Amino acid sequence: LGMSDVAMHIAHAVRPEDLRNGGEERLIDEYLDALRNSIEGLEYPRDIALRHYRLASIDYFRFILGRFWRSASVETFEKRKNSPNSTLVNRDLDAALGFVERVVTFLNGVEKEREV
């Protein structure tokens, strides 16, 4: 379940520009390094962790879409833009669109896996 928490945190708190150009993978690598340093002998291969992260992001997107975005509009994002009680993807349109783009990429990857 750790990668679910990572996916949720990244969606909630990290600006889209910080995820570009390998930023997302660097954050996951930092998480994996910290995890390995705290649990002696842990074997969690990067490729498996990234797959878990992508699946967790897809699942979290499903939750956000059904729970928070069912009535979303440019106006609702504008109203929430300065709210400290709203997560980034619920108050920042660029972050929301970036989340959508990342999830589409992750879904395309899952579809390619199924073709093999």
Side-chain angles (χ1 to χ4, degrees), residues 35-81:
L35 191 63
R36 288 184 187 113
N37 288 334
S38 65
I39 303 173
E40 189 174 325
L42 177 71
E43 292 187 29
Y44 193 18
R46 183 180 191 268
D47 61 326
I48 299 298
L50 284 170
R51 184 170 191 278
H52 290 167
Y53 168 76
R54 291 175 182 137
L55 291 172
S57 294
I58 292 166
D59 184 55
Y60 190 59
F61 178 79
R62 174 202 52 80
F63 174 77
I64 290 286
L65 188 62
R67 174 81 177 175
F68 296 104
W69 289 356
R70 67 179 175 256
S71 62
S73 67
V74 173
E75 292 78 20
T76 58
F77 279 93
E78 185 63 28
K79 285 180 190 175
R80 293 185 200 135
K81 74 178 180 181

Side-chain angles (χ1 to χ4, degrees), residues 96-111:
L97 294 174
F99 189 35
V100 171
E101 290 171 359
R102 289 193 331 273
V103 168
V104 166
T105 300
F106 298 160
L107 283 169
N108 287 337
V110 170
E111 288 176 356

